[in-house]
Amino acid sequence: MIHLARFRPKIVDAAKGYSSKHFVKDLSSGITVGVIALPLAIAFAIASGLKPEAGLISAVIGGFLISAFGGSKVQIGGPAGAFVVIVYGIVERYGVPNLILSTFLAGSLLFTMGLLRVGNLIRFIPVAIIIGFTSGIAVLIGLSQIRDAFGLEISKLSGDFFSQIHAFAVHANTANPYATLVCAGSLLIIILWPKIIAPLTKHWPWLNNIPGIIVALMTATVISKLLELPITTIGTRFGSIPNSLPTPTIPNLDWETAKYLFAPTLTIAILGAIESLLCARVADNLSDDKHNPNQELMGQGIANMIVPFFGGLPVTGTIARTATNAKAGAQSPISGIIHSIVILSIMVLAAPLAVDIPLAALAAILIYIAWNMFDIHEFKRLKQFNLTYRSVLLGTFFLTVIFDLTVAVEAGLVLACIFFIYRISSLTQIESIALPDHLIAADDLHLIDNNASRPTITAYKIYGSLFFGAIDKIENLYSSSHAVTKVPQVMILEMHQLINIDTSGIDSLKVLDKELKKSGGTLLVCAANEQPASLMTRSGFIQQIGEENSLPDLESAFERAREISLTQCKLSIGS
């Protein structure tokens, strides 16, 4: 019977004991993170190949729904840098209508994953894969901003890594020095702002609530407007930004193209799940709370099922904005809802002003984010780790950069599984057990051992897991028996330290038993734990070897082996 997860948003639990003091803190943190989220939403949308309003819509609607239905107390949802590469690729290959379909299907998958309690399983994705594709995405985000950072006159930028490099080289002579200066200046402000205000916060602590991103964006916009710099702005490339939310619509879908969306849909869902649950864990550490992973996935699913019909892009938990929210004193998901209202309010009141924002300034913001996404410290420490870890991380990283995220995650998981199978199989050992003295010295067994080259009884102890990756150990066991003149009359397998066995392991034991029987030998098993004993019984293996040949301990197995050897000896003498 499948036990479905209970649908209980975190906001329901947070409502207990909620007071005006909590609301004041949520209001303050919500306003702070809302102001920060605004330029990021615009930047992510533009980097994804969409219009600026797509990012604002996603931040408003997606942020509201994730806070209202998610499983984390202070997590902030919205468009994220991790989705930039995926969304750009889908838009380029399949068009915006199919992006809407892919996002909706990913949302449905996320909700189903939460409902089926898959939330905890996301933790099993190796950290090497997560670091690899996150750093690869960071490189691609930074690369995609070179056009706007240097003001290159490239009408359409391909999503392919090598095509982008070629386009930059071909159009290098079109670089705009004003755009370069605006980008460099904005980046400098973002980096230096915390150091600039550090000595001032003792007297004016409210300065801590003003992020460097906002200061850089406003400074670049004002200077470029006053000096009438000849650089590309949001208005010159995209026109005006609407100051209201659009009416939800269902676009005309190309079903012939839609059938190829399985891989992008799966990638959006898996990446969304990973990002949101990683973000929720960060939020737990900062807020002294524990998130509900299954409810979080259901909240993410609801958001991604609704946002695309308003023209938005995929949404997930955002680590930087969540950390800002928690550090600003957020007490409940109400702060996330307030953050969405703040973005909507600014969108309604100040949308016309956004047309003057230089794209070079937005490029500086994204380059800064990309730098923080790239885990340079982990790459420096690679030489400290084993070949397996390095292969998975670097393989995922280069595949993300050169091919795409879908291929990288798939290949990374395959590599991780192969290396895991190898490691586990290498831990599985079969060792020979010395026969007890009373069994070797028994007078009645001397009759059996007339031929010194024939081992009468052999015993082995199995350690670890007998699964499909380790069945060669059983195959080698039979091969080593054939290395002598005759196979043993009795072979004992002691299973006290056998952790588990699968059907491939059972099949290998059945083959071993059949091969022994062909030469007149008998297979005994003893001291099996609960899981191996249960599967051996249910699979018919115990019935095949005979219940009398399945013993509770090694001593009983030795006695049974002695009986079989004596019986065969007497039959041999009688004949």
Side-chain angles (χ1 to χ4, degrees):
M1 182 178 178
I2 299 176
H3 297 282
L4 300 179
R6 181 186 181 191
F7 186 83
R8 186 180 177 85
K10 195 72 172 182
I11 197 170
V12 175
D13 298 326
K16 297 178 181 178
Y18 194 78
S19 65
S20 58
K21 291 182 179 179
H22 292 131
F23 178 75
V24 170
K25 291 183 178 180
D26 282 338
L27 180 64
S28 174
S29 58
I31 293 173
T32 300
V33 77
V35 172
I36 294 173
L38 181 74
L40 295 178
I42 294 174
F44 289 142
I46 294 173
S48 300
L50 300 173
K51 293 184 177 181
E53 56 264 32
L56 296 174
I57 292 166
S58 302
V60 172
I61 300 176
F64 176 88
L65 293 173
I66 288 173
S67 294
F69 298 109
S72 176
K73 188 169 78 170
V74 297
Q75 178 157 276
I76 298 296
F83 281 135
V84 166
V85 178
I86 303 173
V87 173
Y88 191 92
I90 295 175
V91 171
E92 184 183 38
R93 295 178 192 176
Y94 308 111
V96 174
N98 284 305
L99 170 65
I100 293 174
L101 177 61
S102 189
T103 305
F104 173 80
L105 293 175
S108 303
L109 183 57
L110 280 166
F111 187 87
T112 304
M113 288 165 65
L115 194 63
L116 297 177
R117 299 175 178 267
V118 181
N120 290 322
L121 300 181
I122 299 297
R123 296 179 301 173
F124 297 146
I125 295 178
V127 67
I129 293 178
I130 296 174
I131 293 173
F133 76 67
T134 302
S135 298
I137 290 171
V139 170
L140 292 175
I141 291 175
L143 191 67
S144 68
Q145 296 311 300
I146 290 179
R147 176 181 64 167
D148 292 331
F150 291 94
L152 302 180
E153 296 177 6
I154 304 175
S155 58
K156 179 66 176 178
L157 189 62
S158 171
D160 178 69
F161 174 76
F162 295 107
S163 297
Q164 288 185 359
I165 297 295
H166 180 261
F168 297 147
V170 170
H171 295 86
N173 60 334
T174 65
N176 185 334
Y178 297 106
T180 305
L181 287 173
V182 169
C183 179
S186 300
L187 194 57
L188 201 62
I189 291 174
I190 294 171
I191 295 171
L192 296 179
W193 179 249
K195 296 180 181 180
I196 294 172
I197 66 170
L200 303 176
T201 52
K202 295 179 181 179
H203 303 286
W204 301 291
W206 52 268
L207 285 173
N208 284 318
N209 296 326
I210 302 177
I213 289 175
I214 297 299
V215 176
L217 197 66
M218 292 180 65
T219 302
T221 303
V222 171
I223 290 176
S224 62
K225 181 68 174 177
L226 291 176
L227 299 180
E228 297 182 353
L229 298 179
I231 57 177
T232 306
T233 64
I234 289 178
T236 57
R237 181 174 294 178
F238 301 102
S240 61
I241 297 177
N243 59 357
S244 62
L245 294 177
T247 304
T249 57
I250 299 177
N252 295 322
L253 300 174
D254 180 4
W255 293 106
E256 285 299 315
T257 306
K259 63 185 180 182
Y260 298 108
L261 294 176
F262 173 77
T265 295
L266 190 61
T267 304
I268 291 174
I270 293 177
L271 184 58
I274 293 172
E275 287 288 316
S276 64
L277 295 182
L278 282 177
C279 181
R281 288 169 63 182
V282 171
D284 289 349
N285 294 332
L286 293 173
S287 63
D288 195 24
D289 189 55
K290 184 171 179 60
H291 73 281
N292 181 336
N294 298 311
Q295 182 61 47
E296 184 59 37
L297 290 184
M298 287 191 280
Q300 299 284 337
I302 291 172
N304 281 290
M305 283 190 285
I306 294 176
V307 165
F309 295 107
F310 287 86
L313 59 152
V315 293
T316 186
T318 56
I319 295 178
R321 277 160 275 174
T322 296
T324 301
N325 190 42
K327 291 176 181 178
Q331 300 295 305
S332 75
I334 296 296
S335 62
I337 293 175
I338 292 172
H339 128 275
S340 298
I341 295 173
V342 169
I343 297 174
L344 179 61
S345 301
I346 298 174
M347 182 178 173
V348 171
L349 300 174
L353 301 178
V355 297
D356 294 321
I357 295 176
L359 294 184
L362 292 178
I365 293 172
L366 287 174
I367 290 171
Y368 178 75
I369 291 171
W371 174 255
N372 287 327
M373 283 180 66
F374 188 86
D375 199 338
I376 186 66
H377 301 292
E378 196 68 16
F379 277 79
K380 289 180 178 178
R381 297 195 307 137
L382 272 180
K383 61 183 179 181
Q384 302 175 14
F385 296 99
N386 58 28
L387 179 63
T388 298
Y389 183 87
R390 293 199 299 265
S391 299
V392 173
L393 192 154
L394 292 175
T396 307
F397 170 75
F398 285 114
L399 286 172
T400 300
V401 173
I402 297 172
F403 293 98
D404 62 48
L405 187 61
T406 303
V407 173
V409 172
E410 290 171 352
L413 286 173
V414 170
L415 275 176
C417 288
I418 291 173
F419 286 130
F420 177 77
I421 291 168
Y422 173 77
R423 285 200 304 271
I424 297 300
S425 65
S426 66
L427 295 176
T428 302
Q429 300 293 330
I430 298 180
E431 297 179 359
S432 178
I433 301 175
L435 299 180
D437 293 339
H438 73 273
L439 186 60
I440 298 174
D443 292 337
D444 49 8
L445 286 183
H446 287 175
L447 296 173
I448 303 170
D449 202 18
N450 292 329
N451 186 349
S453 65
R454 176 180 179 178
T456 303
I457 301 171
T458 57
Y460 299 94
K461 179 176 290 187
I462 306 178
Y463 299 85
S465 174
L466 189 57
F467 70 116
F468 65 89
I471 59 174
D472 61 306
K473 307 292 175 67
I474 296 294
E475 294 169 354
N476 293 338
L477 196 62
Y478 181 72
S479 300
S480 63
S481 297
H482 271 283
V484 296
T485 306
K486 295 181 181 180
V487 297
Q489 285 181 323
V490 182
M491 181 181 287
I492 301 172
L493 296 181
E494 200 273 344
M495 298 181 169
H496 175 64
Q497 291 182 296
L498 179 64
I499 301 171
N500 73 302
I501 189 172
D502 68 358
T503 53
S504 296
I506 292 291
D507 287 342
S508 68
L509 291 178
K510 287 182 177 180
V511 171
L512 176 62
D513 177 62
K514 289 178 182 178
E515 294 297 332
L516 286 172
K517 284 178 178 176
K518 286 180 183 179
S519 303
T522 303
L523 180 64
L524 305 182
V525 297
C526 66
N529 291 311
E530 182 179 354
Q531 191 276 335
S534 173
L535 187 55
M536 287 192 296
T537 301
R538 289 183 284 112
S539 65
F541 172 70
I542 298 300
Q543 184 180 2
Q544 176 179 315
I545 65 172
E547 293 186 6
E548 68 278 7
N549 294 326
S550 176
L551 292 307
D553 52 55
L554 185 59
E555 188 62 32
S556 301
F558 282 143
E559 289 303 315
R560 174 62 180 159
R562 183 172 179 275
E563 293 174 7
I564 294 172
S565 296
L566 284 172
T567 301
Q568 290 185 359
C569 177
K570 291 175 182 178
L571 290 174
S572 177
I573 294 174
S575 62

